Amino acid sequence: MGWNSWNKFACNVDEEMIKSMADAMVKSGMKDAGYQYVNIDDCWQVSRDADGNIVADPQRFPHGMKALGDYIHSLGLKFGVYSDAGSKTCAGRPGGLGHEYQDALQYAAWGVDYLKYDWCNTTTQDAEASYANMRAALDASGRPIVLSICEWGTAKPWLWGKEAGGNSWRTTGDIKDRWQGKIEWKPGNCCSYGVLDIIDAEAELYSYAGPGHWNDPDMLEVGNGGMTETEYRSHFSLWAILAAPLIAGNDLRDMRPGVREILTNKEVIAVDQDPLGRQGERVWKDGDLEVWSKQLLDGGRAVILLNRGKAEREISANWENLGYTNHIQASVRDLWRHKDLGKFAERFSARVAPHSVVMIIVRP
Ligand code: GLA
């Protein structure tokens, strides 16, 4: 769990902004809720020096990356950076190709705890070998560093990401702040994804996720302004049932109370972080109506009733679809109303508003 600069700020990153975001992570209650990584995405780097060392933008990061990492650590948080397995990053900055061990040593010297490693400008490189090489370089640095594989799902990283030593792997192209719709970046160059497009891509991948090696449906858009609060609540709930990395992507310094309540809902976060480490599955679907279920360590199930459509509808979660027998009496707790709803047999049904979810825990 953490925060990343890209979704809100793109290339507009600098030391003061990142420090104030780290401060805000503490003050807003995000740190208390479990968020810890403060990750700078693309564009912090400008060149390589005569020895090939990666150089941070001296205008935007005048005190250097080590000082920034020290500041983040002083708040009890962790420090993340971004690079790319190819010759250049997606924004055209110097990539890591041919400098993997040198960069890993540099990151370790700066106190980096997390590396997001992108896949632009990789021409004929083999994806698994490239990421395994970076993992070996990070390990050789002597510092434990999370490796977040950002390959967009093209070479099916769920099949090899764990063996390559990745801790997570993106499963799709980039998220955009929208409910639904894949849209080409430019003609022939597919696509950015909405929330529903991403969950559809992840639905079949649940068996590949587990502790320390997760499917990554991309960073959160909660609070960035393109969706309604209802849609953001659904987006966050679905990421939690997918056991996704929860990397906020909004400006933490001026969050509306409603946005803050979504991102810091500890009951929903506990579903995401459940120690069993299962990714939830879509267990029932009828047109726009879906039921998702995630097995929890204590034998309970986190369940989402999702209404993708435009009209309010009733949705039922049948115990058999959750892997229980129907006659079982199970308690139901609503994770957004923070309320125990009582004991139910056979099923739980609720009216679900358009683009909304009801999220519950069912415990026999
Ligand atoms: C790619 C990644 C994004 C972001 C940008 C930065 O598109 O998928 O998440 O890191 O590059 O340029």
Side-chain angles (χ1 to χ4, degrees):
M1 294 171 68
W3 176 88
N4 172 295
S5 52
W6 184 256
N7 283 354
K8 171 78 184 175
F9 297 94
C11 268
N12 201 9
V13 288
D14 64 60
E15 177 182 297
E16 278 315 308
M17 185 271 277
I18 299 292
K19 284 170 75 176
S20 64
M21 211 60 69
D23 292 337
M25 194 182 268
V26 178
K27 282 192 206 122
S28 62
M30 293 281 284
K31 183 187 178 209
D32 277 346
Y35 296 84
Q36 39 171 351
Y37 291 94
V38 178
N39 295 348
I40 314 175
D41 207 279
D42 209 346
C43 302
W44 59 267
Q45 62 283 72
V46 283
S47 58
R48 291 193 179 272
D49 69 14
D51 297 322
N53 295 308
I54 191 77
V55 176
D57 186 331
Q59 258 92 51
R60 288 173 174 266
F61 297 89
H63 297 91
M65 300 298 268
K66 168 83 168 66
L68 183 52
D70 287 349
Y71 183 79
I72 290 168
H73 291 142
S74 78
L75 300 175
L77 299 170
K78 292 184 172 172
F79 179 32
V81 294
Y82 160 101
S83 185
D84 186 289
S87 56
K88 285 184 175 161
T89 71
C90 294
R93 305 303 176 93
L97 182 61
H99 294 272
E100 292 85 358
Y101 281 74
Q102 184 175 21
D103 286 351
L105 279 179
Q106 182 65 267
Y107 301 152
W110 288 341
V112 166
D113 305 294
Y114 182 115
L115 175 67
K116 172 176 170 181
Y117 216 44
D118 214 339
W119 191 243
C120 277
N121 305 300
T122 46
T123 61
T124 59
Q125 280 173 247
D126 177 74
E128 179 174 1
S130 299
Y131 284 100
N133 190 30
M134 195 60 210
R135 173 79 270 169
L138 293 172
D139 289 348
S141 80
R143 187 173 172 89
I145 298 177
V146 170
L147 177 60
S148 154
I149 295 177
C150 180
E151 188 272 352
W152 324 308
T154 322
K156 299 190 166 62
W158 46 90
L159 297 177
W160 48 261
K162 182 183 171 199
E163 285 66 36
N167 300 105
S168 64
W169 44 83
R170 283 272 302 278
T171 52
T172 66
D174 290 6
I175 191 170
K176 283 286 165 194
D177 190 6
R178 73 172 86 94
W179 178 244
Q180 181 166 25
K182 285 190 210 173
I183 298 182
E184 288 187 330
W185 297 103
K186 31 183 195 214
N189 181 4
C190 185
C191 282
S192 66
Y193 284 62
V195 163
L196 293 185
D197 310 288
I198 293 182
I199 65 161
D200 288 343
E202 286 241 339
E204 305 307 317
L205 303 178
Y206 57 87
S207 64
Y208 299 104
H213 54 96
W214 310 100
N215 291 313
D216 175 6
D218 206 359
M219 305 171 294
L220 297 162
E221 291 282 11
V222 176
N224 279 336
M227 287 185 262
T228 65
E229 220 151 269
T230 298
E231 290 167 338
Y232 283 141
R233 202 183 310 115
S234 302
H235 170 26
F236 193 71
S237 303
L238 289 160
W239 262 231
I241 212 153
L242 291 171
L246 296 179
I247 308 288
N250 59 319
D251 192 338
L252 307 179
R253 299 168 302 186
D254 63 355
M255 280 192 278
R256 284 201 314 275
V259 166
R260 190 186 159 281
E261 273 161 36
I262 292 171
L263 288 171
T264 59
N265 183 326
K266 290 187 183 176
E267 296 195 66
V268 174
I269 290 171
V271 169
D272 180 75
Q273 298 284 316
D274 181 78
L276 187 63
R278 288 283 179 89
Q279 176 172 324
E281 300 172 43
R282 180 156 57 197
V283 295
W284 181 85
K285 180 172 175 69
D286 181 9
D288 284 333
L289 312 182
E290 298 181 358
V291 176
W292 291 70
S293 169
K294 178 185 200 275
Q295 190 180 337
L296 304 174
L297 180 65
D298 69 2
R301 303 285 189 268
V303 175
I304 287 178
L305 313 179
L306 167 65
N307 180 356
R308 305 163 66 121
K310 293 199 169 86
E312 184 179 296
R313 299 284 298 278
E314 182 167 283
I315 305 179
S316 298
N318 290 307
W319 283 189
E320 274 181 358
N321 289 336
L322 309 184
Y324 301 137
T325 53
N326 267 343
H327 68 268
I328 268 180
Q329 289 275 333
S331 67
V332 172
R333 180 169 175 83
D334 187 311
L335 304 189
W336 287 107
R337 287 155 72 201
H338 302 293
K339 221 173 130 185
D340 291 323
L341 303 181
K343 292 226 167 216
F344 294 78
E346 281 185 43
R347 72 177 64 86
F348 174 78
S349 307
R351 312 266 328 156
V352 186
H355 294 193
S356 188
V357 295
V358 168
M359 188 170 188
I360 55 174
I361 288 187
V362 179
R363 278 205 179 91

